[in-house]
Amino acid sequence: MAKSSSMADKLALVLLYVFWFVGNYYYNLYNKQASMKAGGKDGGLTVTIAVMQIVVCAAWAMGLWLIRRNPTPLLGLKAPAPQPLPAITKADVISLLPLTFCYAFAHTAGVVALTAGSPAFGQIVKAAEPVFAAVINTLFYAKSPSLAKWCVLPVIVGGVAISTLKKESDGSYSVPLDLYVLAFGSVNNVFAAFKGSENHRAMAAPGLKDRIGGVGNQFALTNVLSLVFLVPCMVLSEGANWPKFVDLFTNDDAFRWNLCLSGITFYLYNELATMTIKATGAVTASVANTAK
């Protein structure tokens, strides 16, 4: 009986990874299409798009609280999970702020990096996330990965780098260096590494998970609370372009459709990622994040 239960858990974890990767693929597709409709890097709406995706995520989370059920576990062959309003205190909210801060700016920096330049080079920078996670976990959380994981990290980054090489006319191979993408991609990696560890820490805090009401509620709260940081960031960086965004959202069906779908797929694949962290760990999650 125990062996059967273990096999079912392993199958559920595999399915969560599969749907995580599929959700990420469609998020990248919808995000790129929305960004290009807004003018890409030079359109002046990159941060606004990132923030409005989180607004969509927050609306999705509130819808789950309204129906008090979360259907996402169905993707792992589990029953829908109860999702009542979390019974948290002011102290709980404060304890979640480091996680929400890292989540907010990992997302924003990631959108900027993948919109700004060469997708191939952006993926190489993103591939370094497990290295950032390993170093940050060792230095700040006293949780060094195993020797085997340390050894495999260069292989992962190198493999992604090789797979994205471009053949030139003279037969040589190269990847165009983009310092803008490198900067924002590295910022994304730092915040993503801290986010994974803070997520693990928050779920392990005594009593907090019970007051929040489970992994689904924790992720829903993360999205809602992250707007505390993101809205001021959007106003300061691109506030002058808000009328442009409103006009685009109101009059361009393709932009509106892609923006909303990018927000929903972003929520779903990150919620699946949050569920896998519960069963694995922050560095393993970062390696899986690179694999996707």
Side-chain angles (χ1 to χ4, degrees), residues 144-207:
S144 179
S146 66
L147 178 60
K149 287 182 178 179
W150 276 113
C151 291
V152 81
L153 292 179
V155 178
I156 294 172
V157 179
V160 174
I162 292 171
S163 70
T164 53
L165 288 173
K166 178 183 178 182
K167 189 173 184 178
E168 304 293 347
S169 58
D170 62 358
S172 63
Y173 290 85
S174 67
V175 173
L177 176 64
D178 190 322
L179 294 179
Y180 192 87
V181 175
L182 177 62
F184 278 96
S186 297
V187 170
N188 167 264
N189 285 342
V190 170
F191 280 117
F194 274 111
K195 179 196 74 173
S197 296
E198 285 297 319
N199 195 15
H200 198 67
R201 180 194 62 80
M203 286 193 288

Side-chain angles (χ1 to χ4, degrees), residues 46-47 50-51 54 103-113 184 188 230 233:
T46 309
V47 174
V51 175
I54 300 300
Y103 174 82
F105 289 104
H107 173 60
T108 304
V111 170
V112 173
F184 278 96
N188 167 264
L230 286 175
C233 175

Side-chain angles (χ1 to χ4, degrees), residues 55-68 83 85 220 224 227 267:
V55 170
V56 172
C57 291
W60 182 273
M62 291 176 184
L64 295 180
W65 286 331
L66 186 64
I67 65 174
R68 296 181 178 274
Q83 191 148 328
L85 279 170
V224 173
L227 292 174
Y267 186 99

Side-chain angles (χ1 to χ4, degrees), residues 122-131 153 156-158 160-161 189 286 290:
Q123 291 303 324
I124 293 174
V125 178
K126 286 280 291 176
E129 183 186 326
V131 179
L153 292 179
I156 294 172
V157 179
V160 174
N189 285 342
S286 288
T290 299

